[in-house]
Amino acid sequence: GYSLTPKFDNDVLSYEVYVPTSTEKVLVEAIPETNLTTITGIGEIAIPDIENTITITAKSQAGTEKKFTITIYKVDDTTKVSDVITESSLLINGNTIQNIKNSTTIASFKDKLIKSGAQSIVIKDKNGNDIENTNTLMATGQKIVINTSVDSQTYTISVKGDTSGDGVVTILDLLEVQKHIKKAETLKNENLISADTSGDNKVTILDLLEIVQHIKKYKLL
């Protein structure tokens, strides 16, 4: 009765599932593509901990094995998205999550939210496609859907200094902020929020200097 995150793919070996805190055991089922493959690790499995990892092994007739791991998280049944935001100390600006540190991976960000009570999390790219590679960097302009057993909220991501939305802070971001300050081109919405690296609700030469310091690795954002 629960879905794997990401969706099952034979080349993806690690998955996550979120169940209510009261769940004591789960029934894991798997169907081999051919009757020459044997599968172990399925059946009724106890999940006593908040975080439980199980391994399912598919073995071919030739003896080749492929192991799939599923991490099952138990989350509070009454937790709301607002509770997750508060517990994880995220800063919200309208519908945008701001001040996300540079070089944050989707895996670490999702882990933080899960530990704060989220039941499931989906992160989408600018085109609305689900991002399944959890090693991908968080980037300005991505959308995140945070689900609990009570409600669901969608936010836009703003990574500190990443005005271009490629997940890293480079000379491109520096030029965009410079153009904004000179009023040659105007940054808007989450991109404007990302440009305010100093957190004073305006984009000035101070933010430009902080981006320069980050690029030169004097002070990382």
Side-chain angles (χ1 to χ4, degrees):
Y2 297 96
S3 300
L4 297 176
T5 303
K7 295 179 182 179
F8 182 77
D9 184 311
N10 195 45
D11 294 322
V12 178
L13 302 181
S14 298
Y15 299 88
E16 299 172 348
V17 172
Y18 312 94
V19 301
T21 306
S22 57
T23 307
E24 297 180 352
K25 56 187 177 182
V26 294
L27 178 62
V28 180
E29 297 178 322
I31 301 172
E33 290 184 339
T34 74
N35 57 11
L36 300 178
T37 300
T38 57
I39 300 177
T40 56
I42 58 177
E44 192 172 88
I45 299 173
I47 50 170
D49 303 317
I50 296 297
E51 181 178 327
N52 307 266
T53 300
I54 62 175
T55 301
I56 300 170
T57 303
K59 187 175 183 179
S60 70
Q61 187 180 33
T64 303
E65 292 185 344
K66 180 177 284 190
K67 296 182 182 294
F68 300 89
T69 61
I70 302 176
T71 302
I72 303 174
Y73 296 95
K74 297 167 75 171
V75 295
D76 190 345
D77 298 346
T78 61
T79 299
K80 298 179 180 179
V81 172
S82 58
D83 299 325
V84 175
I85 297 297
T86 300
E87 180 67 23
S88 56
S89 300
L90 293 177
L91 293 178
I92 304 296
N93 187 332
N95 289 320
T96 300
I97 299 177
Q98 67 178 46
N99 271 20
I100 297 175
K101 288 185 177 181
N102 210 257
S103 300
T104 299
T105 64
I106 285 178
S108 63
F109 196 73
K110 289 177 69 174
D111 184 60
K112 178 180 181 179
L113 294 177
I114 292 298
K115 289 178 179 177
S116 297
Q119 185 172 0
S120 65
I121 297 161
V122 178
I123 297 181
K124 300 176 179 290
D125 62 23
K126 295 177 181 178
N127 297 318
N129 301 312
D130 291 359
I131 302 175
E132 297 185 352
N133 182 357
T134 56
N135 290 322
T136 302
L137 293 178
M138 300 294 293
T140 298
Q142 292 171 343
K143 301 289 184 181
I144 180 169
V145 183
I146 304 175
N147 301 300
T148 69
S149 57
V150 176
D151 60 355
S152 175
Q153 294 288 338
T154 300
Y155 296 96
T156 302
I157 295 298
S158 171
V159 174
K160 202 172 183 179
D162 175 31
T163 62
S164 62
D166 59 4
V168 291
V169 178
T170 65
I171 190 69
L172 175 59
D173 305 289
L174 181 69
L175 291 173
E176 288 188 344
V177 174
Q178 188 178 49
K179 289 178 181 178
H180 178 86
I181 293 173
K182 291 183 176 181
K183 298 182 180 180
E185 292 183 14
T186 302
L187 293 169
K188 298 179 180 179
N189 304 320
E190 65 272 12
N191 305 91
L192 179 60
I193 294 172
S194 296
D196 177 23
T197 60
S198 62
D200 60 1
N201 295 318
K202 53 188 176 181
V203 179
T204 65
I205 190 67
L206 175 59
D207 305 295
L208 195 67
L209 290 174
E210 287 192 340
I211 291 175
V212 170
Q213 289 177 326
H214 176 89
I215 294 173
K216 291 185 175 182
K217 298 182 180 180
Y218 294 154
K219 178 184 176 182
L220 298 181
L221 295 172

